[in-house]
Amino acid sequence: MTFLKKLLLATATTALLAASPGFASAADLLAIITPSHDNPFFKSEAEGAKARAEALGYETIVLVHDDDANKQNELIDTAIARGAKAIILDNAGSDASVAAVQKAKDAKIPSFLIDREINATGIAVSQIVSNNYQGATLGAEFFVEQMGEKGTYVELVGREADINAGIRSKGYHDVIDQYPDMKMVSRQSANWSQTEAFAKMQSILQANPDIKGVISGNDTMAMGAWAALKAANRTDVILVGFDGSNDVRDSISEGGIKGTVLQPAYRQAEMAVEQADKYLKTGSTGVEEKQLMDCVLITADNAKKLETFAMKE
Amino acid sequence: MTIKVNVLVAVSVAVVVLGVSGCKIKKNEAASAKASGQLEIFFDSSDFNAEKVVADIWTPKVEPFMRDKANRFAEVQSALAKDARSAGPQYGYSENPAQNPYSFIVRLDGQVVDSNTKSRAAYIAVDTNGDGKSDAKVQLGPVIRGTALRDVLPFIPFSAFKNQIEYANVGRALNAHVYEAKLSKLDRDNLVGKHVSVTGAFVAPSAGAEILIAPSDVTIAGGQP
């Protein structure tokens, strides 16, 4: 065998090794892109993904798009430019994100979506989302029970561009509207924001001083509403949130907010990374693209078991 | 002759339609509440009709499936009590066990020991083993909680639908169908002490919680019209 032939063979073997899916180099990079970490839910998600990725031997870059589709687009470009092997994404809007995920796919980078669906299949490899509808019906059933199936109430809705705001609201109403004595007096968006919910709740209370309940599309808005209710000496108002944050857990334990619905955010992010790892190594995740995870109702009965978007065994 | 037959058919169809609408029980949906700051951000798609999907499969597929796959309640109950983890795969079904709890199809006979028909989420509590204590709550509607009826049917997988809402609508439509077709016809007075036979579905309860059955069929002795 000539030297040249040996060299060619060696090169070919190396190339094969590098290309074979089982070959994971220490430099393999996972990009983790979520909305702003100001909301502990997204922070927990990013932390869950990062910890699992590093445990599996990946390097990570953690980026936030602040629910801005243009910024998300730039971050996808960054991930492509940095040579990321896969993207873990909680997207910035179910329609606006289709093109961004497609762009990553065109660059041969698989995306694994968490928390929010996009309105398309076959572009992302996995879409692991909480069953927001199921969770919302759990919250609404509990809310109706606490209200004694009757009375005036207010609904705080999340950001309108976010599909989960609509899904949760629909879940709430599909349950509550079946009770003719439940009467909604106001329904407003507070854009998932605690400060905005505080201000909205104050003005709603001025217009409707005798409301009996508030159902909120997430926990940060619930915390804002609760602060306004406290300031108005209306801690008798029945308030239910959504997400399962530690803040709301503590309020439930103190007899404040009545309940919330846990989305298993931390586990969801870990699962996305596990599926990305399996996909990179074997070319398949072995599961369906769209996967729904059930949510869990949190009340005074089980609040103690809740810690950072996960239930302790 | 042919014309006459056609007319007859048309007339009888009209009678059936009239008959149905004439005795229709008030539908289980309140007019959507209008309020200040009303937002329209629902994701209903008009080209998907969950009620029709359910109406088409109820008699040919759902009812026979529930009948054929039902296990005895006592057997499932004791398996769950002994070892909930292994009872799931043995007696139940889950589309994706890593993410969704198992659901079970059961048939049970027993005596009504408690009832609440004042609530819109009406139920009867049934004693199946004669100790006088409730073993399961059976939902009578009009509000039926959860989606157990959908979740036990392997031929209605989430992956067959475009999004959560369509999938959710099928769950709701199944509940609504069973209420319209069966539960709304039950006599709801003086249920305590009566004997009932039930086929239905439930989702594995969390530890210590009661079993809540969404029925596909309920027979109350002496309570049928």
Side-chain angles (χ1 to χ4, degrees):
Chain A
M1 199 183 268
T2 66
F3 174 72
L4 187 64
K5 264 188 181 163
K6 266 187 192 165
L7 184 70
L8 276 175
L9 198 66
T11 316
T13 316
T14 313
L16 258 179
L17 263 178
S20 84
F23 186 85
S25 94
D28 278 354
L29 183 71
L30 285 193
I32 298 161
I33 308 175
T34 70
S36 162
H37 293 186
D38 289 350
N39 184 332
F41 180 86
F42 301 122
K43 185 160 182 256
S44 164
E45 214 172 59
E47 282 171 353
K50 185 171 191 285
R52 194 78 192 98
E54 286 171 358
L56 287 167
Y58 293 91
E59 279 183 24
T60 56
I61 36 170
V62 177
L63 306 164
V64 294
H65 55 55
D66 293 326
D67 280 306
D68 176 344
N70 292 326
K71 191 167 177 197
Q72 170 176 271
N73 217 11
E74 289 163 16
L75 297 179
I76 297 280
D77 287 336
T78 306
I80 294 171
R82 290 276 302 268
K85 288 283 181 291
I87 298 170
I88 309 295
L89 174 67
D90 187 346
N91 69 71
S94 47
D95 285 322
S97 302
V98 174
V101 177
Q102 180 69 52
K103 183 161 69 178
K105 190 186 179 192
D106 293 344
K108 305 266 185 296
I109 303 175
S111 297
F112 299 80
L113 271 48
I114 50 176
D115 180 37
R116 299 171 182 169
E117 294 172 80
I118 53 170
N119 278 332
T121 53
I123 304 175
V125 174
S126 293
Q127 300 192 41
I128 313 174
V129 299
S130 300
N131 194 336
N132 281 273
Y133 183 89
Q134 171 260 355
T137 59
L138 287 180
E141 282 161 0
F142 176 72
F143 181 65
V144 168
E145 201 178 282
Q146 293 290 309
M147 294 277 290
E149 301 189 5
K150 60 174 186 283
T152 51
Y153 73 98
V154 171
E155 182 192 3
L156 293 175
V157 186
R159 186 191 300 275
E160 286 176 68
D162 183 341
I163 190 168
N164 288 338
I167 291 176
R168 287 177 203 168
S169 184
K170 181 168 163 55
Y172 286 162
H173 282 279
D174 280 353
V175 171
I176 299 171
D177 292 354
Q178 296 185 75
Y179 295 84
D181 297 332
M182 292 283 294
K183 205 169 154 1
M184 182 167 71
V185 293
S186 186
R187 177 171 191 251
Q188 300 196 25
S189 172
N191 290 307
W192 303 133
S193 149
Q194 187 160 341
T195 48
E196 213 173 309
F198 180 80
K200 288 263 161 81
M201 196 68 235
Q202 281 196 319
S203 65
I204 290 171
L205 274 172
Q206 278 166 12
N208 308 278
D210 55 353
I211 54 160
K212 187 172 160 193
V214 178
I215 191 156
S216 169
N218 83 344
D219 277 353
T220 46
M221 295 192 297
M223 288 305 290
W226 188 246
L229 289 165
K230 255 194 193 158
N233 281 322
R234 286 302 313 277
T235 52
D236 57 308
V237 171
I238 292 155
L239 175 56
V240 171
F242 196 110
D243 277 346
S245 74
N246 286 356
D247 288 341
V248 168
R249 172 202 64 192
D250 294 344
S251 178
I252 293 171
S253 297
E254 292 159 18
I257 294 172
K258 289 286 186 295
T260 184
V261 177
L262 166 68
Q263 298 194 68
Y266 195 88
R267 180 69 197 122
Q268 204 168 80
E270 286 184 330
M271 279 173 70
V273 171
E274 286 158 14
Q275 290 182 15
D277 180 56
K278 189 166 177 207
Y279 183 83
L280 292 172
K281 286 178 175 154
T282 69
S284 162
T285 62
V287 291
E288 296 272 355
E289 176 187 337
K290 291 197 111 180
Q291 303 158 50
L292 270 187
M293 284 180 85
D294 279 351
C295 301
V296 180
L297 179 70
I298 305 294
T299 67
D301 294 341
N302 60 358
K304 281 191 181 62
K305 288 190 190 161
L306 177 61
E307 178 58 50
T308 324
F309 299 100
M311 292 300 270
K312 292 179 288 189
E313 285 294 322
Chain B
M1 188 61 192
T2 322
I3 292 169
K4 211 173 187 179
V5 171
N6 279 346
V7 169
L8 262 178
V9 169
V11 167
S12 44
V13 166
V15 167
V16 169
V17 169
L18 278 176
V20 168
S21 57
C23 68
K24 197 155 191 178
I25 292 156
K26 193 169 173 259
K27 261 213 147 183
N28 187 18
E29 51 188 70
S32 71
K34 286 275 174 202
S36 67
Q38 180 90 19
L39 296 161
E40 289 298 338
I41 51 168
F42 292 160
F43 290 83
D44 276 331
S45 67
S46 51
D47 57 348
F48 179 74
N49 186 339
E51 287 75 23
K52 186 174 180 326
V53 169
V54 169
D56 288 349
I57 61 171
W58 181 263
T59 308
K61 287 190 87 169
V62 179
E63 282 197 308
F65 189 85
M66 295 294 292
R67 256 195 321 267
D68 296 347
K69 300 288 177 187
N71 287 300
R72 276 179 49 243
F73 176 78
E75 201 176 326
V76 180
Q77 184 191 31
S78 71
L80 275 169
K82 210 176 291 163
D83 180 3
R85 224 167 270 247
S86 64
Q90 193 182 350
Y91 292 100
Y93 171 73
S94 167
E95 186 177 342
N96 187 341
Q99 291 153 1
N100 314 113
Y102 278 90
S103 304
F104 304 86
I105 304 177
V106 290
R107 60 170 184 278
L108 60 95
D109 285 285
Q111 199 169 30
V112 179
V113 289
D114 189 18
S115 81
N116 178 355
T117 50
K118 295 263 192 305
S119 168
R120 298 274 294 167
Y123 66 85
I124 45 175
V126 181
D127 167 24
T128 59
N129 54 13
D131 65 358
K133 285 188 220 131
S134 168
D135 294 292
K137 277 185 179 172
V138 178
Q139 308 192 69
L140 298 183
V143 178
I144 295 175
R145 293 181 170 190
T147 50
L149 279 176
R150 178 197 67 191
D151 298 343
V152 288
L153 302 176
F155 48 87
I156 308 184
F158 172 54
S159 53
F161 299 93
K162 204 165 70 192
N163 54 42
Q164 290 185 44
I165 294 294
E166 289 189 0
Y167 185 54
N169 284 345
V170 171
R172 271 166 55 75
L174 277 164
N175 290 349
H177 189 91
V178 77
Y179 179 74
E180 294 284 327
K182 312 253 174 175
L183 305 177
S184 62
K185 300 186 169 77
L186 295 172
D187 185 353
R188 290 169 177 248
D189 297 328
N190 307 316
L191 289 170
V192 173
K194 282 189 174 147
H195 185 87
V196 291
S197 302
V198 177
T199 306
F202 68 92
V203 178
S206 48
E210 64 196 350
I211 290 175
L212 185 67
I213 294 178
S216 59
D217 200 10
V218 177
T219 310
I220 299 174
Q224 293 294 86

